[in-house]
Amino acid sequence: MNSVEAPLRAQAGLDVDTLGELRARLQAHRMDLLGREGQLRARLAAEDAATANTFVAGVEGGAAAEADDEVIAMLHHDDAELAAVDAALARMADGTYGWCTGCGEEVGVARLKALPQAELCIACQDVAEHRRGH
Ligand SMILES: [Zn+2]
């Protein structure tokens, strides 16, 4: 199955033009994330080298470790986002895109235009965030 170039069918209140636009945005976002991940990994490697060469311990070493944590947190965030984007593209290919995976209702065009990788409708998203303690 060629998931990227599969023909789009209107679904979940989305016409083919809208789906095509959202798919193009997801693909562009995916390329951005992959590019950023490369930059972050390069920065992490550079910081590791600087830390190893310059600092043994103390304030400077601590600051470098904090910077590492920040980069690692960004990488985790990007990985999660990349997974969400990939999942959205896969749902688009198999015809389940736009339907909330929580309740089965339409996610809604406005929400998908704001967040093309959205998997849940607003109501289910709220519930999920409350469960996580937000
Ligand atoms: Zn829902």
Side-chain angles (χ1 to χ4, degrees):
M1 186 176 82
N2 187 339
S3 64
V4 176
E5 295 307 327
L8 294 167
R9 284 158 306 182
Q11 54 187 302
L14 302 163
D15 59 33
V16 173
D17 283 351
T18 305
L19 278 168
E21 178 197 320
L22 292 171
R23 182 163 74 174
R25 282 178 53 198
L26 283 166
Q27 285 167 344
H29 192 35
R30 190 169 185 279
M31 294 313 290
D32 282 351
L33 285 169
L34 289 172
R36 210 168 87 115
E37 181 169 320
Q39 284 171 8
L40 287 173
R41 288 198 190 282
R43 197 174 129 190
L44 200 57
E47 276 170 8
D48 278 353
T51 307
N53 291 338
T54 315
F55 309 117
V56 178
V59 175
E60 294 92 345
E66 265 174 40
D68 275 3
D69 285 349
E70 194 183 306
V71 174
I72 289 166
M74 281 194 275
L75 275 171
H76 283 171
H77 174 267
D78 284 2
D79 277 354
E81 194 149 328
L82 192 59
V85 167
D86 279 346
L89 285 167
R91 290 197 304 279
M92 223 174 240
D94 71 17
T96 58
Y97 180 80
W99 301 106
C100 174
T101 58
C103 65
E105 297 294 321
E106 291 177 9
V107 173
V109 177
R111 175 159 164 77
L112 289 170
K113 282 192 170 173
L115 190 70
Q117 68 268 37
E119 185 177 327
L120 297 170
C121 70
I122 297 231
C124 290
Q125 184 68 43
D126 276 352
V127 171
E129 282 177 7
H130 282 280
R131 281 205 191 121
R132 284 203 303 265
H134 283 267

